[in-house]
Amino acid sequence: MSAFILRRLFQSAVAVIVMSLLVFFGVSVVGDPVYMLISPDMPQAEIEATIKQFGFDRPIWEQYFLFVKNALQGDLGNSFIFAEPALKLIIERMPATLELALAAVLMAVVLGIPLGVYAGLKPRSAISKVIMGSSILGFSLPTFWVGIMLIMIFAVILGWLPSTGRGETVNLLGVPVSFLTWDGLTHLFLPAFNLALLKISLVIRLARAGTLEVWHQDYIKFARAKGLGNRRIVFVHVLKNIMIPVVTVLGLEFGNLVAFSVVTETIFAWPGMGKLLIGSIQTLDRPVIVGYLLLITVMFVIINLIVDVLYSILDPRVRLADRGA
């Protein structure tokens, strides 16, 4: 097990180094942030002083190594716009994004697994056909359109839920969270559901396919022959065996939810990292963009590592296969 984890850690370190190169050089060629920092009326001497102050006069490879050196010490540079450390700006907004992503994953699990299992157990029923038809809609409808429709129906027409903002927050272990207050929950529901819709459809499909496959296995027939009830067979045998692909996909999709919640955060004015990223791209705030992308990369690597470890615990054959490779 330790050798398996060490191999995964080495692969993760290589992935982070490669991604840091791609992110830094990729963002550097997008545009020149100097023009966002200077006024057209500034004298040439002041323009050159500004360029020198931010280190833009150095070769790109020298800027990269300086960035890596500072990043290893926890310094991702100062935001050009806010004049504050980029890492501080990102971390301040991280709890809001993580809370939104966790709520979306919870919705996907709570709604997706029971609906998928039911559709797998009774594939020919009318309810199953409605569930599968709804899952196709979940895949097909664009996130921004669903978000606007949710606001129109539940906030504007019915007036049941607020349309924007995070609502009242309270501190939990020093971190502001909104799900512990009623006002915060009402603000959280619509953006979390909008973000979760695609994942709910995905989990329904995975759970249905897994149930259809497992339900005809010999050990299920044996359990039925022993006189076990359907409820016990489903909770003890079926759920355990369909959870491996569901855990793997949800683990990877959690990273996607955090990284690509930009659209949902923008529509619902959710004060998270995605909204910060959009503003930073518009102003070419390079330290914030690079810092955000690198943190997302590290987060993906950590999530993949955790999923690999969980996967090897659920199915020890994974470790054996990895050793053979």
Side-chain angles (χ1 to χ4, degrees):
M1 186 68 173
S2 56
F4 175 80
I5 294 176
L6 283 175
R7 271 197 298 274
R8 285 290 184 267
L9 283 173
F10 175 74
Q11 293 168 357
S12 302
V14 172
V16 170
I17 292 170
V18 172
M19 283 307 298
S20 72
L21 278 166
L22 293 175
V23 167
F24 189 87
F25 286 96
V27 172
S28 298
V29 299
V30 167
D32 192 346
V34 172
Y35 295 103
M36 305 296 292
L37 299 170
I38 62 173
S39 165
D41 302 328
M42 283 177 69
Q44 186 61 32
E46 289 188 25
I47 293 175
E48 290 176 0
T50 303
I51 292 174
K52 191 171 182 179
Q53 178 188 350
F54 287 95
F56 297 141
D57 58 329
R58 300 179 181 181
I60 188 67
W61 58 268
E62 192 177 332
Q63 292 182 43
Y64 172 73
F65 283 115
L66 183 61
F67 168 76
V68 171
K69 179 185 172 186
N70 292 331
L72 290 174
Q73 299 171 0
D75 180 11
L76 297 178
N78 282 350
S79 163
F80 299 152
I81 306 303
F82 297 97
E84 290 184 41
L87 186 60
K88 175 174 174 283
L89 290 170
I90 297 169
I91 288 178
E92 280 177 353
R93 290 157 176 80
M94 188 178 287
T97 299
L98 290 179
E99 184 179 28
L100 187 63
L102 284 171
V105 169
L106 185 64
M107 284 185 178
V109 170
V110 171
L111 296 176
I113 291 179
L115 292 175
V117 171
Y118 181 88
L121 292 175
K122 299 182 178 179
R124 297 182 186 278
S125 72
I127 296 177
S128 296
K129 290 176 182 174
V130 171
I131 291 171
M132 298 313 295
S134 303
S135 72
I136 293 174
L137 282 179
F139 279 118
S140 310
L141 297 176
T143 302
F144 73 91
W145 184 83
V146 175
I148 293 171
M149 288 300 104
L150 289 174
I151 291 174
M152 283 294 294
I153 295 171
F154 293 100
V156 178
I157 298 175
L158 298 175
W160 289 353
L161 295 168
S163 59
T164 58
R166 199 181 177 194
E168 183 184 355
T169 61
V170 293
N171 282 336
L172 177 65
L173 302 176
V175 178
V177 295
S178 59
F179 69 92
L180 291 179
T181 67
W182 177 249
D183 183 56
L185 274 176
T186 56
H187 280 81
L188 177 63
F189 184 82
L190 284 184
F193 183 74
N194 185 50
L195 195 60
L197 196 57
L198 179 63
K199 311 309 171 193
I200 293 171
S201 303
L202 186 62
V203 173
I204 286 175
R205 292 268 162 181
L206 285 172
R208 178 182 179 273
T211 305
L212 282 172
E213 183 183 349
V214 168
W215 194 244
H216 299 289
Q217 297 293 320
D218 289 341
Y219 58 88
I220 297 292
K221 295 175 184 173
F222 183 69
R224 219 181 285 139
K226 283 173 61 182
L228 295 181
N230 279 345
R231 180 176 299 180
R232 182 172 172 79
I233 292 174
V234 168
F235 280 98
V236 175
H237 297 288
V238 175
L239 280 180
K240 180 183 175 185
N241 285 284
I242 68 171
M243 285 307 289
I244 290 176
V246 173
V247 167
T248 305
V249 171
L250 278 182
L252 298 175
E253 290 297 323
F254 179 74
N256 277 333
L257 287 174
V258 173
F260 305 115
S261 60
V262 176
V263 175
T264 298
E265 289 187 3
T266 304
I267 292 172
F268 290 91
W270 188 262
M273 295 189 297
K275 200 164 180 292
L276 174 69
L277 177 66
I278 291 293
S280 301
I281 291 174
Q282 290 170 342
T283 55
L284 280 179
D285 197 350
R286 188 190 295 176
V288 176
I289 300 172
V290 174
Y292 174 86
L293 294 177
L294 268 185
L295 280 180
I296 292 298
T297 302
V298 171
M299 186 192 66
F300 264 101
V301 166
I302 292 173
I303 289 174
N304 273 299
L305 183 63
I306 293 172
V307 169
D308 281 345
V309 172
L310 284 177
Y311 202 76
S312 69
I313 292 171
L314 289 170
D315 187 354
R317 291 174 298 178
V318 173
R319 273 177 278 162
L320 295 175
D322 185 77
R323 193 181 302 163

